[in-house]
Amino acid sequence: MATMKDVAKLASVSTSTVSHVMNATRFVSEDIAKRVQAAAQQLNYHGPSAVARSLKQNCTKTIGMLVTTSTNPFYAEVVRSVEQACYQQGYNLILCNTEGDAQRLKRSLTTLIERRVDGLIMMCAMLEGEDALIYRRLDSLPVVVMDWGQVDFPCDKIQGHSRQGGILATQYLIDNGHTQIGCITGPRNRQQADLRYQGFVDAMQAANLPINPDWVVEGNFETEGGKAAFAKLQAVGSLPTALFVCNDMMAIGVLHEAQRTGVQIPEQLSVIGYDNIQLAKFMTPALTSIHQSKARLGAAAVHALIARLQDPNLPPQFMDIEPRVTVRASVSQR
């Protein structure tokens, strides 16, 4: 089996030069690099394995990400931005789907720790009770939590400013002349869902508008949940003139159910969603939505993690991604 010395001899360079070419640890002229690579290929030499290098350097250039699988394309768009940011920074990404299951989350955490990932990005429901004891294994591992609830272990946090987004959505409906406004919330036990609802309440109270409890329905952030929530609104009797739906997937379910039952949007009911997923602009009518940048979320998480790897003594980082209204055709003026 060929060694680094064999490659160095054939390429007429030093062993240290071969090492720098193989590991990209120092600039080497293009001519010398080509000679080394040609010699390595001729001798079928592949250099030290990634595992061996990681053991020696205590760095695998790998980041693990835990995400709750969902039919919501929002997650896929965020994961794509994380992967792109990892690639640009020279890191690999290992993605684990938790499916919202505590045991699967524990197993995935164990697997990522055993694979010696340099850090973790978590975008999933957190473990509670005795299950949460596994977080003690994260003491020496940098962690960034994305767009989720409270955590009881040291980490950096990147999230969308959900309460402000709820205010923007509701205020946009008010600015378009609506006073009878309802809200389909996400699961209220999830912090981001509750913050979006609190933003709705803030805007309604600031405008001195009453909140009809019959027009506030809890959904599950999925399309079917939006359909079911809209059916509950219809069962109550008269509909509001406008509806803040706390994510786009539920809003798509609302549009579908409204069309099925003959409710015209936006003529009879204006709808604004949240997340501004790519699918929103292709709905009929095109969905007005609160935009939170998935690209910025992903990039911010990766950059925060790498900054923590470079300086473990940094103070905890917390970043809100500011939302904005993306205007389309699903909201009418009154």
Side-chain angles (χ1 to χ4, degrees), residues 64-66 94 96 98 101-117 120 122 127 131 133-138 141:
M65 184 174 185
L66 292 155
I94 299 177
C96 294
T98 68
D101 179 75
Q103 295 308 308
R104 184 162 179 168
L105 173 52
K106 288 172 65 177
R107 188 170 68 180
S108 296
L109 269 174
T110 299
T111 297
L112 292 172
I113 292 169
E114 290 175 349
R115 291 197 176 194
R116 300 171 58 86
V117 295
L120 282 176
M122 301 184 71
L127 296 171
D131 288 332
L133 294 176
I134 194 173
Y135 291 142
R136 293 178 181 176
R137 298 183 64 184
L138 302 179
L141 193 65

Side-chain angles (χ1 to χ4, degrees), residues 123-184:
M123 195 177 186
C124 58
M126 295 299 156
L127 296 171
E128 298 178 350
E130 291 186 3
D131 288 332
L133 294 176
I134 194 173
Y135 291 142
R136 293 178 181 176
R137 298 183 64 184
L138 302 179
D139 286 347
S140 60
L141 193 65
V143 178
V144 173
V145 174
M146 289 185 67
D147 203 38
W148 215 265
Q150 297 294 328
V151 293
D152 55 3
F153 56 87
C155 68
D156 299 308
K157 193 162 174 95
I158 310 294
Q159 65 180 23
H161 200 321
S162 290
R163 190 162 189 159
Q164 180 62 25
I167 293 172
L168 287 175
T170 310
Q171 190 61 50
Y172 181 75
L173 297 175
I174 294 170
D175 290 344
N176 278 276
H178 295 277
T179 57
Q180 298 178 321
I181 303 172
C183 181
I184 295 179

Side-chain angles (χ1 to χ4, degrees), residues 30-52:
E30 185 178 353
D31 178 62
I32 293 176
K34 285 182 178 179
R35 277 165 43 200
V36 170
Q37 290 163 356
Q41 185 175 5
Q42 183 177 334
L43 295 171
N44 197 28
Y45 175 76
H46 299 289
S49 70
V51 173

Side-chain angles (χ1 to χ4, degrees), residues 69-77 221-222 247-249 275 277:
T69 298
S70 169
T71 57
N72 188 346
F74 171 77
Y75 290 96
E77 292 177 29
F221 275 161
E222 303 294 343
N247 84 333
D248 286 351
M249 290 303 285
D275 286 337
I277 60 175

Side-chain angles (χ1 to χ4, degrees), residues 232-245:
K232 287 183 181 179
L233 283 175
Q234 288 182 302
V236 168
S238 61
L239 290 171
T241 66
L243 196 58
F244 168 35
V245 185

